[in-house]
Amino acid sequence: MARSDAVDAVVVGSGPNGLAAAVTLARAGLSVRVFEAAAEPGGGSRTAELTLPGFRHDVCSAVHPMALASPFFRAFGLERRIELRVPEISFGHPLDGGRAGIAWRDLDRAVDGLGRDGRSYRRLVAPLVAQEEEVSEFTGSTLVRVPRHPLVAARFGLRAIEQGTGAWNLRFHDDVAPAMLTGVAAHAIRPLPSLGTAGAGLVLTMHAHARGWPVPVGGSGAIVAALVDDLVAHGGEVVTDAAVDDLAALPPAHVVVLDVTPRALARLAGDRVPARYRRALRGFRYGNAAAKVDFALAGPVPWANPDLAGAGTLHLGGSREEIAAGERDVARGRHPSSPYVLVSQPSTLDDTRAPAGRHVLWTYTHVPAGSTLDPTEAVTRQIERFAPGFRDLVLATSSRSAARMEAENANYIGGDIASGAPSLAQLVRRPVLSPDPWRTPLAGVYLASASTPPGPGVHGLAGWHAAASALRHEFGLGMPRLAP
């Protein structure tokens, strides 16, 4: 590494969590240096020309359901720093025959489109939407604590039990609403139904009808740029092309915050980690994987259902039963014949992403961990199923297998973009059972990746919580003001 002079705080890794920790520490008046192994900061939240000149694609994260709801981003004032565009349709779920479930941000409008299941959908979702801030407080931190709003937590828990067990079909009569909920729950890349997938799905659905799922103008890299700009403005710095192989190689610092996986922490710390904690790190389980395809298109996707043209996000895979079967295949180490495909069409909201009249399409599919299979044909076939003529619009593609996802981002073990299986056990014990899981047994060392609560997503909360713990324990300080 190029720099060896002492600082108050060192952060390893410049994903959103690492940068959230760095910004928080710098705002508290500490000198902060961030080390990033890659040539530019951001981790998975970067934007680049992956296919053709002028076509700007998000490298990993694309749509941000937590951007408007995250307590960290709200304190940071993200929506005053960058432009976030919120589609009227948070997500769409195409079904065969041109049918589709449409999750309008307006819950009443979404309910109207679900026929006789609309009332049941409202009873499931509306209480969560009405108390979005309380639900976000409960789900946005460690679960090893007494919830601030116990009745809200209980209401959420009962819904998760329903949608995470064999009772998940008892509420509905038709196939559209169940398919919609399953498409959102499948973000967790786990077998369905389960309590972990139900919890993730309910939170995302709540945000879909509360504040919406925004897309940053210019791409996910705009979020990173806002964080880096604020860090630098408060005296911090980011050092790129600076891989860290051992904690002993870091410059002297009162605090070290690591935006890395438990496996990496065990490697970086070696025998300095107490045996019991090392066993917990090594026992941390990683999940199934994602493989990604980006498309440069000659025009908009020709969805069979025209309403889907206005959706920022789409979940492809068919019925609830079909998606569940595909996720079971993935968990058993097989590539599904009909895969789940997550789609974002940012250029329908942001014309800076592609040349005039052209479009970019962001997709990923679920595959077994470590898969080397190129997902391009499987993804193209599934899109063509719901958008006949799609193939004819493809100008260029860029694909990443699960194995390549890990090669490009060390936090994605085997292609696990969640940085740890989001099972119920690992949502509680992430990576250890503790009311302060960000604090490690090593003096001054904190873990701040998506492998800690509240888990995956671009929300900055893991880094924010880790920084708060470090400020409290190492400096006797409270949280600083983060607003611009």
Side-chain angles (χ1 to χ4, degrees), residues 241-272:
D241 292 312
V244 176
D245 298 317
D246 192 315
L247 292 183
L250 293 171
H254 294 292
V255 166
V256 174
V257 179
L258 302 172
D259 185 1
V260 304
T261 66
R263 182 180 298 182
L265 172 55
R267 175 178 55 81
L268 292 171
D271 293 339
R272 294 183 290 274

PDB file of all heavy atoms in Angstrom, residues 241-272:
ATOM      1  N   ASP A 241      -6.487   0.654  -5.907  1.00  0.00           N
ATOM      2  CA  ASP A 241      -5.417  -0.289  -6.279  1.00  0.00           C
ATOM      3  C   ASP A 241      -4.577  -0.640  -5.050  1.00  0.00           C
ATOM      4  O   ASP A 241      -3.352  -0.738  -5.126  1.00  0.00           O
ATOM      5  CB  ASP A 241      -4.524   0.290  -7.389  1.00  0.00           C
ATOM      6  CG  ASP A 241      -5.257   0.429  -8.707  1.00  0.00           C
ATOM      7  OD1 ASP A 241      -5.917  -0.547  -9.121  1.00  0.00           O
ATOM      8  OD2 ASP A 241      -5.198   1.512  -9.303  1.00  0.00           O
ATOM      9  N   ALA A 242      -5.255  -0.828  -3.921  1.00  0.00           N
ATOM     10  CA  ALA A 242      -4.554  -1.031  -2.650  1.00  0.00           C
ATOM     11  C   ALA A 242      -5.153  -2.236  -1.934  1.00  0.00           C
ATOM     12  O   ALA A 242      -5.942  -2.097  -0.994  1.00  0.00           O
ATOM     13  CB  ALA A 242      -4.645   0.215  -1.780  1.00  0.00           C
ATOM     14  N   ALA A 243      -4.802  -3.438  -2.393  1.00  0.00           N
ATOM     15  CA  ALA A 243      -5.290  -4.657  -1.757  1.00  0.00           C
ATOM     16  C   ALA A 243      -4.654  -4.812  -0.378  1.00  0.00           C
ATOM     17  O   ALA A 243      -3.479  -4.508  -0.178  1.00  0.00           O
ATOM     18  CB  ALA A 243      -4.970  -5.872  -2.623  1.00  0.00           C
ATOM     19  N   VAL A 244      -5.440  -5.278   0.567  1.00  0.00           N
ATOM     20  CA  VAL A 244      -4.968  -5.514   1.937  1.00  0.00           C
ATOM     21  C   VAL A 244      -4.939  -7.016   2.174  1.00  0.00           C
ATOM     22  O   VAL A 244      -5.964  -7.698   2.042  1.00  0.00           O
ATOM     23  CB  VAL A 244      -5.889  -4.824   2.964  1.00  0.00           C
ATOM     24  CG1 VAL A 244      -5.449  -5.154   4.387  1.00  0.00           C
ATOM     25  CG2 VAL A 244      -5.900  -3.325   2.735  1.00  0.00           C
ATOM     26  N   ASP A 245      -3.769  -7.548   2.521  1.00  0.00           N
ATOM     27  CA  ASP A 245      -3.611  -8.985   2.730  1.00  0.00           C
ATOM     28  C   ASP A 245      -3.438  -9.365   4.191  1.00  0.00           C
ATOM     29  O   ASP A 245      -3.498 -10.542   4.539  1.00  0.00           O
ATOM     30  CB  ASP A 245      -2.398  -9.503   1.931  1.00  0.00           C
ATOM     31  CG  ASP A 245      -2.577  -9.295   0.427  1.00  0.00           C
ATOM     32  OD1 ASP A 245      -3.687  -9.566  -0.063  1.00  0.00           O
ATOM     33  OD2 ASP A 245      -1.618  -8.852  -0.235  1.00  0.00           O
ATOM     34  N   ASP A 246      -3.197  -8.380   5.047  1.00  0.00           N
ATOM     35  CA  ASP A 246      -2.959  -8.668   6.460  1.00  0.00           C
ATOM     36  C   ASP A 246      -3.261  -7.395   7.244  1.00  0.00           C
ATOM     37  O   ASP A 246      -2.857  -6.297   6.837  1.00  0.00           O
ATOM     38  CB  ASP A 246      -1.500  -9.091   6.679  1.00  0.00           C
ATOM     39  CG  ASP A 246      -1.253  -9.684   8.063  1.00  0.00           C
ATOM     40  OD1 ASP A 246      -1.744  -9.110   9.049  1.00  0.00           O
ATOM     41  OD2 ASP A 246      -0.560 -10.712   8.155  1.00  0.00           O
ATOM     42  N   LEU A 247      -3.967  -7.539   8.365  1.00  0.00           N
ATOM     43  CA  LEU A 247      -4.257  -6.353   9.176  1.00  0.00           C
ATOM     44  C   LEU A 247      -2.979  -5.669   9.647  1.00  0.00           C
ATOM     45  O   LEU A 247      -2.953  -4.445   9.818  1.00  0.00           O
ATOM     46  CB  LEU A 247      -5.100  -6.749  10.393  1.00  0.00           C
ATOM     47  CG  LEU A 247      -6.533  -7.221  10.130  1.00  0.00           C
ATOM     48  CD1 LEU A 247      -7.244  -7.494  11.451  1.00  0.00           C
ATOM     49  CD2 LEU A 247      -7.304  -6.207   9.311  1.00  0.00           C
ATOM     50  N   ALA A 248      -1.909  -6.449   9.815  1.00  0.00           N
ATOM     51  CA  ALA A 248      -0.643  -5.864  10.284  1.00  0.00           C
ATOM     52  C   ALA A 248      -0.031  -4.921   9.264  1.00  0.00           C
ATOM     53  O   ALA A 248       0.814  -4.093   9.613  1.00  0.00           O
ATOM     54  CB  ALA A 248       0.347  -6.983  10.621  1.00  0.00           C
ATOM     55  N   ALA A 249      -0.470  -5.032   7.997  1.00  0.00           N
ATOM     56  CA  ALA A 249       0.091  -4.170   6.958  1.00  0.00           C
ATOM     57  C   ALA A 249      -0.580  -2.802   6.910  1.00  0.00           C
ATOM     58  O   ALA A 249      -0.119  -1.913   6.184  1.00  0.00           O
ATOM     59  CB  ALA A 249      -0.036  -4.855   5.604  1.00  0.00           C
ATOM     60  N   LEU A 250      -1.662  -2.615   7.653  1.00  0.00           N
ATOM     61  CA  LEU A 250      -2.369  -1.338   7.645  1.00  0.00           C
ATOM     62  C   LEU A 250      -1.590  -0.292   8.436  1.00  0.00           C
ATOM     63  O   LEU A 250      -0.844  -0.625   9.360  1.00  0.00           O
ATOM     64  CB  LEU A 250      -3.761  -1.509   8.256  1.00  0.00           C
ATOM     65  CG  LEU A 250      -4.751  -2.362   7.461  1.00  0.00           C
ATOM     66  CD1 LEU A 250      -6.001  -2.626   8.292  1.00  0.00           C
ATOM     67  CD2 LEU A 250      -5.114  -1.686   6.154  1.00  0.00           C
ATOM     68  N   PRO A 251      -1.759   0.977   8.101  1.00  0.00           N
ATOM     69  CA  PRO A 251      -1.104   2.032   8.894  1.00  0.00           C
ATOM     70  C   PRO A 251      -1.680   2.066  10.304  1.00  0.00           C
ATOM     71  O   PRO A 251      -2.809   1.619  10.534  1.00  0.00           O
ATOM     72  CB  PRO A 251      -1.438   3.305   8.116  1.00  0.00           C
ATOM     73  CG  PRO A 251      -2.647   2.978   7.330  1.00  0.00           C
ATOM     74  CD  PRO A 251      -2.535   1.528   6.979  1.00  0.00           C
ATOM     75  N   PRO A 252      -0.946   2.594  11.258  1.00  0.00           N
ATOM     76  CA  PRO A 252      -1.455   2.697  12.629  1.00  0.00           C
ATOM     77  C   PRO A 252      -2.762   3.489  12.663  1.00  0.00           C
ATOM     78  O   PRO A 252      -2.888   4.530  12.029  1.00  0.00           O
ATOM     79  CB  PRO A 252      -0.342   3.431  13.370  1.00  0.00           C
ATOM     80  CG  PRO A 252       0.887   3.201  12.541  1.00  0.00           C
ATOM     81  CD  PRO A 252       0.430   3.117  11.122  1.00  0.00           C
ATOM     82  N   ALA A 253      -3.758   2.955  13.401  1.00  0.00           N
ATOM     83  CA  ALA A 253      -5.056   3.616  13.498  1.00  0.00           C
ATOM     84  C   ALA A 253      -5.739   3.180  14.786  1.00  0.00           C
ATOM     85  O   ALA A 253      -5.525   2.069  15.278  1.00  0.00           O
ATOM     86  CB  ALA A 253      -5.926   3.264  12.296  1.00  0.00           C
ATOM     87  N   HIS A 254      -6.549   4.059  15.336  1.00  0.00           N
ATOM     88  CA  HIS A 254      -7.330   3.703  16.529  1.00  0.00           C
ATOM     89  C   HIS A 254      -8.439   2.722  16.177  1.00  0.00           C
ATOM     90  O   HIS A 254      -8.829   1.909  17.016  1.00  0.00           O
ATOM     91  CB  HIS A 254      -7.940   4.965  17.141  1.00  0.00           C
ATOM     92  CG  HIS A 254      -6.941   5.925  17.694  1.00  0.00           C
ATOM     93  ND1 HIS A 254      -6.176   5.663  18.801  1.00  0.00           N
ATOM     94  CD2 HIS A 254      -6.565   7.165  17.271  1.00  0.00           C
ATOM     95  CE1 HIS A 254      -5.381   6.675  19.058  1.00  0.00           C
ATOM     96  NE2 HIS A 254      -5.590   7.613  18.133  1.00  0.00           N
ATOM     97  N   VAL A 255      -8.967   2.828  14.954  1.00  0.00           N
ATOM     98  CA  VAL A 255     -10.105   2.008  14.535  1.00  0.00           C
ATOM     99  C   VAL A 255      -9.839   1.455  13.141  1.00  0.00           C
ATOM    100  O   VAL A 255      -9.330   2.181  12.265  1.00  0.00           O
ATOM    101  CB  VAL A 255     -11.415   2.844  14.517  1.00  0.00           C
ATOM    102  CG1 VAL A 255     -12.527   2.108  13.775  1.00  0.00           C
ATOM    103  CG2 VAL A 255     -11.866   3.164  15.931  1.00  0.00           C
ATOM    104  N   VAL A 256     -10.192   0.194  12.936  1.00  0.00           N
ATOM    105  CA  VAL A 256     -10.166  -0.423  11.613  1.00  0.00           C
ATOM    106  C   VAL A 256     -11.562  -0.970  11.336  1.00  0.00           C
ATOM    107  O   VAL A 256     -12.096  -1.759  12.124  1.00  0.00           O
ATOM    108  CB  VAL A 256      -9.128  -1.568  11.535  1.00  0.00           C
ATOM    109  CG1 VAL A 256      -9.235  -2.284  10.186  1.00  0.00           C
ATOM    110  CG2 VAL A 256      -7.721  -1.029  11.748  1.00  0.00           C
ATOM    111  N   VAL A 257     -12.167  -0.526  10.249  1.00  0.00           N
ATOM    112  CA  VAL A 257     -13.496  -0.989   9.845  1.00  0.00           C
ATOM    113  C   VAL A 257     -13.343  -1.774   8.546  1.00  0.00           C
ATOM    114  O   VAL A 257     -12.769  -1.269   7.578  1.00  0.00           O
ATOM    115  CB  VAL A 257     -14.469   0.198   9.646  1.00  0.00           C
ATOM    116  CG1 VAL A 257     -15.829  -0.318   9.198  1.00  0.00           C
ATOM    117  CG2 VAL A 257     -14.600   1.004  10.924  1.00  0.00           C
ATOM    118  N   LEU A 258     -13.871  -2.996   8.537  1.00  0.00           N
ATOM    119  CA  LEU A 258     -13.656  -3.903   7.415  1.00  0.00           C
ATOM    120  C   LEU A 258     -14.960  -4.169   6.677  1.00  0.00           C
ATOM    121  O   LEU A 258     -15.890  -4.779   7.230  1.00  0.00           O
ATOM    122  CB  LEU A 258     -13.078  -5.232   7.928  1.00  0.00           C
ATOM    123  CG  LEU A 258     -11.761  -5.134   8.706  1.00  0.00           C
ATOM    124  CD1 LEU A 258     -11.412  -6.476   9.324  1.00  0.00           C
ATOM    125  CD2 LEU A 258     -10.638  -4.640   7.802  1.00  0.00           C
ATOM    126  N   ASP A 259     -15.032  -3.733   5.442  1.00  0.00           N
ATOM    127  CA  ASP A 259     -16.160  -4.054   4.561  1.00  0.00           C
ATOM    128  C   ASP A 259     -15.782  -5.312   3.778  1.00  0.00           C
ATOM    129  O   ASP A 259     -15.576  -5.281   2.562  1.00  0.00           O
ATOM    130  CB  ASP A 259     -16.449  -2.876   3.628  1.00  0.00           C
ATOM    131  CG  ASP A 259     -17.696  -3.090   2.769  1.00  0.00           C
ATOM    132  OD1 ASP A 259     -18.349  -4.147   2.912  1.00  0.00           O
ATOM    133  OD2 ASP A 259     -17.996  -2.213   1.946  1.00  0.00           O
ATOM    134  N   VAL A 260     -15.650  -6.427   4.507  1.00  0.00           N
ATOM    135  CA  VAL A 260     -15.216  -7.698   3.933  1.00  0.00           C
ATOM    136  C   VAL A 260     -16.077  -8.819   4.516  1.00  0.00           C
ATOM    137  O   VAL A 260     -16.801  -8.622   5.489  1.00  0.00           O
ATOM    138  CB  VAL A 260     -13.720  -7.991   4.216  1.00  0.00           C
ATOM    139  CG1 VAL A 260     -12.839  -6.854   3.708  1.00  0.00           C
ATOM    140  CG2 VAL A 260     -13.474  -8.230   5.713  1.00  0.00           C
ATOM    141  N   THR A 261     -15.967 -10.012   3.961  1.00  0.00           N
ATOM    142  CA  THR A 261     -16.726 -11.149   4.453  1.00  0.00           C
ATOM    143  C   THR A 261     -16.067 -11.736   5.705  1.00  0.00           C
ATOM    144  O   THR A 261     -14.884 -11.498   5.965  1.00  0.00           O
ATOM    145  CB  THR A 261     -16.814 -12.250   3.392  1.00  0.00           C
ATOM    146  OG1 THR A 261     -15.493 -12.767   3.159  1.00  0.00           O
ATOM    147  CG2 THR A 261     -17.406 -11.720   2.096  1.00  0.00           C
ATOM    148  N   PRO A 262     -16.788 -12.526   6.481  1.00  0.00           N
ATOM    149  CA  PRO A 262     -16.168 -13.221   7.613  1.00  0.00           C
ATOM    150  C   PRO A 262     -14.980 -14.080   7.205  1.00  0.00           C
ATOM    151  O   PRO A 262     -13.985 -14.164   7.938  1.00  0.00           O
ATOM    152  CB  PRO A 262     -17.323 -14.074   8.163  1.00  0.00           C
ATOM    153  CG  PRO A 262     -18.542 -13.289   7.820  1.00  0.00           C
ATOM    154  CD  PRO A 262     -18.252 -12.708   6.464  1.00  0.00           C
ATOM    155  N   ARG A 263     -15.056 -14.707   6.057  1.00  0.00           N
ATOM    156  CA  ARG A 263     -13.933 -15.516   5.586  1.00  0.00           C
ATOM    157  C   ARG A 263     -12.695 -14.645   5.408  1.00  0.00           C
ATOM    158  O   ARG A 263     -11.578 -15.028   5.785  1.00  0.00           O
ATOM    159  CB  ARG A 263     -14.293 -16.209   4.266  1.00  0.00           C
ATOM    160  CG  ARG A 263     -13.196 -17.109   3.721  1.00  0.00           C
ATOM    161  CD  ARG A 263     -13.614 -17.772   2.411  1.00  0.00           C
ATOM    162  NE  ARG A 263     -14.784 -18.627   2.582  1.00  0.00           N
ATOM    163  CZ  ARG A 263     -15.319 -19.339   1.588  1.00  0.00           C
ATOM    164  NH1 ARG A 263     -14.807 -19.272   0.363  1.00  0.00           N
ATOM    165  NH2 ARG A 263     -16.372 -20.110   1.813  1.00  0.00           N
ATOM    166  N   ALA A 264     -12.877 -13.465   4.841  1.00  0.00           N
ATOM    167  CA  ALA A 264     -11.742 -12.562   4.643  1.00  0.00           C
ATOM    168  C   ALA A 264     -11.210 -12.044   5.974  1.00  0.00           C
ATOM    169  O   ALA A 264      -9.996 -11.897   6.147  1.00  0.00           O
ATOM    170  CB  ALA A 264     -12.160 -11.398   3.746  1.00  0.00           C
ATOM    171  N   LEU A 265     -12.102 -11.754   6.922  1.00  0.00           N
ATOM    172  CA  LEU A 265     -11.641 -11.306   8.233  1.00  0.00           C
ATOM    173  C   LEU A 265     -10.766 -12.374   8.891  1.00  0.00           C
ATOM    174  O   LEU A 265      -9.706 -12.068   9.457  1.00  0.00           O
ATOM    175  CB  LEU A 265     -12.837 -10.982   9.131  1.00  0.00           C
ATOM    176  CG  LEU A 265     -12.529 -10.691  10.603  1.00  0.00           C
ATOM    177  CD1 LEU A 265     -11.510  -9.574  10.759  1.00  0.00           C
ATOM    178  CD2 LEU A 265     -13.810 -10.356  11.358  1.00  0.00           C
ATOM    179  N   ALA A 266     -11.184 -13.632   8.822  1.00  0.00           N
ATOM    180  CA  ALA A 266     -10.385 -14.712   9.396  1.00  0.00           C
ATOM    181  C   ALA A 266      -9.014 -14.779   8.742  1.00  0.00           C
ATOM    182  O   ALA A 266      -7.994 -15.003   9.408  1.00  0.00           O
ATOM    183  CB  ALA A 266     -11.121 -16.047   9.244  1.00  0.00           C
ATOM    184  N   ARG A 267      -8.965 -14.559   7.432  1.00  0.00           N
ATOM    185  CA  ARG A 267      -7.683 -14.602   6.723  1.00  0.00           C
ATOM    186  C   ARG A 267      -6.811 -13.393   7.076  1.00  0.00           C
ATOM    187  O   ARG A 267      -5.605 -13.541   7.311  1.00  0.00           O
ATOM    188  CB  ARG A 267      -7.935 -14.651   5.204  1.00  0.00           C
ATOM    189  CG  ARG A 267      -6.665 -14.583   4.354  1.00  0.00           C
ATOM    190  CD  ARG A 267      -7.003 -14.688   2.871  1.00  0.00           C
ATOM    191  NE  ARG A 267      -7.966 -13.703   2.435  1.00  0.00           N
ATOM    192  CZ  ARG A 267      -7.669 -12.449   2.132  1.00  0.00           C
ATOM    193  NH1 ARG A 267      -6.414 -12.015   2.243  1.00  0.00           N
ATOM    194  NH2 ARG A 267      -8.614 -11.616   1.710  1.00  0.00           N
ATOM    195  N   LEU A 268      -7.405 -12.213   7.129  1.00  0.00           N
ATOM    196  CA  LEU A 268      -6.641 -11.002   7.409  1.00  0.00           C
ATOM    197  C   LEU A 268      -6.087 -10.983   8.834  1.00  0.00           C
ATOM    198  O   LEU A 268      -4.996 -10.472   9.081  1.00  0.00           O
ATOM    199  CB  LEU A 268      -7.524  -9.765   7.208  1.00  0.00           C
ATOM    200  CG  LEU A 268      -7.956  -9.445   5.773  1.00  0.00           C
ATOM    201  CD1 LEU A 268      -8.994  -8.337   5.783  1.00  0.00           C
ATOM    202  CD2 LEU A 268      -6.766  -9.061   4.921  1.00  0.00           C
ATOM    203  N   ALA A 269      -6.845 -11.544   9.768  1.00  0.00           N
ATOM    204  CA  ALA A 269      -6.437 -11.476  11.169  1.00  0.00           C
ATOM    205  C   ALA A 269      -5.611 -12.676  11.609  1.00  0.00           C
ATOM    206  O   ALA A 269      -4.815 -12.575  12.539  1.00  0.00           O
ATOM    207  CB  ALA A 269      -7.672 -11.347  12.055  1.00  0.00           C
ATOM    208  N   GLY A 270      -5.800 -13.829  10.953  1.00  0.00           N
ATOM    209  CA  GLY A 270      -5.025 -15.012  11.293  1.00  0.00           C
ATOM    210  C   GLY A 270      -5.210 -15.429  12.739  1.00  0.00           C
ATOM    211  O   GLY A 270      -6.316 -15.409  13.293  1.00  0.00           O
ATOM    212  N   ASP A 271      -4.114 -15.767  13.397  1.00  0.00           N
ATOM    213  CA  ASP A 271      -4.155 -16.273  14.770  1.00  0.00           C
ATOM    214  C   ASP A 271      -4.480 -15.201  15.796  1.00  0.00           C
ATOM    215  O   ASP A 271      -4.659 -15.507  16.986  1.00  0.00           O
ATOM    216  CB  ASP A 271      -2.822 -16.929  15.125  1.00  0.00           C
ATOM    217  CG  ASP A 271      -2.562 -18.199  14.323  1.00  0.00           C
ATOM    218  OD1 ASP A 271      -3.560 -18.760  13.820  1.00  0.00           O
ATOM    219  OD2 ASP A 271      -1.400 -18.608  14.194  1.00  0.00           O
ATOM    220  N   ARG A 272      -4.560 -13.957  15.367  1.00  0.00           N
ATOM    221  CA  ARG A 272      -4.909 -12.895  16.315  1.00  0.00           C
ATOM    222  C   ARG A 272      -6.372 -12.981  16.748  1.00  0.00           C
ATOM    223  O   ARG A 272      -6.765 -12.397  17.757  1.00  0.00           O
ATOM    224  CB  ARG A 272      -4.615 -11.522  15.699  1.00  0.00           C
ATOM    225  CG  ARG A 272      -3.135 -11.262  15.454  1.00  0.00           C
ATOM    226  CD  ARG A 272      -2.893  -9.864  14.911  1.00  0.00           C
ATOM    227  NE  ARG A 272      -3.373  -9.703  13.548  1.00  0.00           N
ATOM    228  CZ  ARG A 272      -2.670 -10.006  12.465  1.00  0.00           C
ATOM    229  NH1 ARG A 272      -1.452 -10.508  12.586  1.00  0.00           N
ATOM    230  NH2 ARG A 272      -3.157  -9.812  11.257  1.00  0.00           N
TER     231      ARG A 272
END
